[in-house]
């Protein structure tokens, strides 16, 4: 059992004290947004709630929700709660599904965000003796800047690699004896694969831990990365709207991510009705940032589906844990009326001994959904007979049918033919949407 904390007095604070702290911060925060953000004032007035009605954390459900649509409406400055001259940074989402979200930070906000990332690095055993390779993208994406800041705070020697250029990545990793790797899990898998191809064994590198997040990944994927790199692989969660990585992180127990509850208050709601659900229920995660100054979202609906647990954790941290997000409500695919999450396919592949390199292709032919899964073979799975291949494809399709309840068509493709991800992996090509758009006559 490791007991490494970056801010022990906060991370192990008794729950009652934590609630008191949250209450004090919430009362102040609600006043702050009501006074400084007309958009919020309108939302609260519409719901008939005034700052005086919020006397503590138990009153939080009186506040209106905020959604991604609100952020788009208010783009770019509509939710800014401080004068622009007090802001020192923006970060932004990739904006693949509409207008970008731009989040603002004062220096205080950057500091609290970097503290959260420092807690995550310390929790995996990071100290000032470590060499921390940050292979998340730098720039508008929060992954690189967040972990970079956390690594500085811990005092690690920081390698600000950004994502991509995998050969150079590996050269620095080996030459500078990197001990902690931070990147997306899909990029970690790719780095593991590349190391092997370059003739390295897992024990040849000095890495001891990886901090992987920004996309869903399964327990099977964790095992596979741990084996390929010879490390312990830890999850980290966050979103641009709340700060970035470090909203929650895994400790030595690798059993759920502690939410930094002194900064972010978490609720689970029924995504259909908005009703707050009791601890232990599965539902949509909602965050309130309790002490951010520039972009303080109240009751922001993340669309991530997970479960919260306040069961005591052996690491000694008292902060509530969240399960791995089980996909986003908007990432869920509906194929022939059945709900499918890409992570279920990943689980089957890794259990059956395949690589996590796959792509789901959906199309619609004669009003019926087609569901194809391209799966890369490992070189040792390569079967030289057509009959052998067909047999393997059928067996894999049957395993997927058992998991999903519907039958995909599996295509085994040759090693290295599916494009590798250096950031968030693109697992789904849904041509059905393209067809709908093309049919629009306007
Ligand atoms: O992905 C922030 C981040 C960077 C987190 C580096 C962890 C590490 P966005 O680009 O705004 O921010 O995307 C946020 O990514 O709502 C989740 O759906 C998903 N996500 C983030 N972390 C995880 C995770 C960053 N550990 C969205 N597991 C979130 C599953 C995750 N999904």
């Amino acid at each position: 059992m490791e007991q490494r904390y970056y801010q022990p007095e906060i991370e192990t604070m008794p729950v009652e004290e934590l609630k008191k702290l949250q209450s004090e911060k919430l009362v102040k925060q609600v006043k702050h947004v009501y006074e400084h953000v007309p958009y919020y004032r309108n939302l609260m007035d519409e719901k008939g709630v005034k700052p005086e009605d919020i006397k503590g954390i138990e009153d939080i459900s009186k506040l209106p929700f905020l959604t991604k649509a609100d952020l788009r409406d208010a783009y770019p400055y509509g939710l800014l709660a401080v004068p622009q001259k007090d802001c020192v940074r923006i970060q932004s989402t990739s904006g693949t599904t509409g207008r970008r979200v731009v989040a603002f930070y004062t220096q205080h906000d950057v500091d609290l965000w970097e503290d959260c990332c420092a807690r995550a690095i310390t929790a995996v055993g990071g100290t000032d003796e470590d060499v921390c390779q940050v292979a998340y993208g730098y720039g508008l994406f929060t992954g690189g800047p967040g972990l970079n800041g956390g690594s500085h705070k811990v005092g690690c020697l920081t390698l600000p690699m950004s994502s991509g250029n995998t050969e150079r990545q590996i050269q620095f990793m080996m030459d500078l004896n990197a001990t902690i790797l931070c990147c997306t899990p899909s990029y970690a898998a790719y780095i593991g694969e590349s190391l092997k191809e370059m003739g390295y064994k897992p024990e040849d590198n000095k890495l001891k831990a990886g901090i992987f997040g920004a996309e869903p990944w399964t327990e099977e994927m964790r095992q596979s990365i741990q084996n390929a790199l010879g490390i312990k692989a830890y999850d980290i969660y966050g979103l641009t709207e709340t700060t970035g990585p470090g909203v929650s992180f895994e400790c030595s127990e690798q059993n759920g991510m502690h939410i930094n509850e002194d900064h972010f208050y978490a609720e689970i709601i029924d995504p259909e009705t908005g009703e707050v659900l009791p601890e232990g229920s599965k539902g949509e995660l909602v965050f309130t940032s309790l002490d951010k100054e520039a972009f303080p979202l109240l009751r922001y609906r993340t669309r991530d589906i997970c479960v919260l647990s306040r069961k005591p954790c052996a690491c000694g941290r008292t902060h509530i844990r969240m399960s791995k997000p089980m996909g986003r409500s908007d990432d869920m695919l509906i194929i022939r009326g059945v709900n499918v999450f890409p992570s279920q396919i990943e689980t089957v592949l890794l259990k059956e001994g395949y690589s996590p390199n796959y792509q789901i292709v959906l199309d619609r032919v004669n009003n019926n959904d087609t569901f194809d899964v391209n799966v890369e073979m490992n070189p040792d799975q390569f079967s030289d007979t057509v009959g052998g291949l067909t047999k393997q494809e059928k067996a894999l399709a049957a395993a997927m049918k058992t998991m999903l309840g519907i039958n995909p068509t599996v295509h085994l493709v040759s090693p290295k033919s599916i494009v590798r991800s250096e950031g968030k992996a693109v697992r789904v090509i849904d041509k059905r949407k393209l067809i709908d758009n093309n049919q629009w006559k306007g």
Side-chain angles (χ1 to χ4, degrees), residues 126-326:
T127 69
D128 57 6
E129 309 267 344
D130 279 292
V131 178
C132 180
Q133 178 156 357
V134 183
Y136 286 109
Y138 280 63
L140 287 171
F141 179 56
T142 53
L147 269 310
N148 190 92
S151 173
H152 276 227
K153 287 214 168 193
V154 174
C156 304
L157 172 60
T158 309
L159 311 186
M161 299 300 298
S162 198
S163 58
N165 206 333
T166 306
E167 268 190 32
R168 187 182 63 184
Q169 201 83 248
I170 287 174
Q171 192 190 344
F172 272 80
M173 176 189 288
M174 302 306 285
D175 292 353
L176 286 143
N177 296 331
T179 53
I180 299 178
L181 174 65
C182 307
C183 61
T184 58
S186 53
Y187 194 41
Y190 180 31
I191 291 177
E193 187 183 4
S194 306
L195 274 169
K196 191 172 172 196
E197 274 170 19
M198 289 162 81
Y200 292 113
K201 294 197 206 62
E203 58 275 20
D204 292 339
N205 70 66
K206 293 282 185 298
L207 291 175
K208 60 180 187 188
I211 304 183
F212 306 133
E215 62 185 2
W217 54 309
T218 55
E219 282 303 324
E220 290 78 8
M221 181 85 154
R222 189 204 302 267
Q223 281 309 325
S224 156
I225 295 173
Q226 293 193 150
N227 295 341
L229 293 174
I231 59 169
K232 280 191 110 187
Y234 299 89
D235 205 350
I236 185 167
Y237 168 91
L239 57 164
T240 315
E241 294 90 321
T242 54
T243 44
V247 169
S248 64
F249 60 86
E250 266 185 350
C251 63
S252 50
E253 300 305 304
Q254 294 180 301
N255 183 20
M257 294 179 272
H258 291 281
I259 296 176
N260 283 308
E261 277 194 280
D262 52 324
H263 299 304
F264 307 105
Y265 183 77
E267 298 169 271
I268 290 287
I269 62 161
D270 178 330
E272 304 297 326
T273 62
E275 182 202 348
V276 179
L277 300 177
E279 187 204 318
S281 318
K282 182 166 148 187
E284 180 180 348
L285 188 57
V286 172
F287 278 117
T288 296
S289 45
L290 294 169
D291 50 6
K292 267 173 60 188
E293 294 174 339
F295 200 63
L297 304 189
L298 304 183
R299 302 196 87 202
Y300 180 65
R301 293 185 59 158
T302 63
R303 294 187 286 186
D304 292 320
I305 304 292
C306 73
V307 176
L308 297 181
S309 165
R310 192 158 305 271
K311 288 204 192 98
C313 181
C315 78
R317 285 176 184 78
T318 48
H319 292 198
I320 203 162
R321 278 171 296 144
M322 59 180 268
S323 66
K324 273 179 176 299
M326 300 154 186

Side-chain angles (χ1 to χ4, degrees), residues 26-27 30 34 40-66 265 267 269 274-276 286 288 298-299:
L26 180 71
V27 170
V30 171
Y34 194 82
Y40 263 118
R41 202 174 313 133
N42 289 341
L43 281 183
M44 284 174 61
D45 287 348
E46 269 170 28
K47 206 165 182 238
V49 53
K50 293 270 174 266
E52 313 70 272
D53 299 329
I54 308 300
K55 298 195 172 62
I57 207 74
E58 63 285 356
D59 292 324
I60 198 162
S61 57
K62 296 180 181 162
L63 294 168
F65 290 118
L66 200 75
Y265 183 77
E267 298 169 271
I269 62 161
E275 182 202 348
V276 179
V286 172
T288 296
L298 304 183
R299 302 196 87 202

Side-chain angles (χ1 to χ4, degrees), residues 33 84 220 367:
V33 298
Q84 190 218 287
E220 290 78 8
N367 286 325

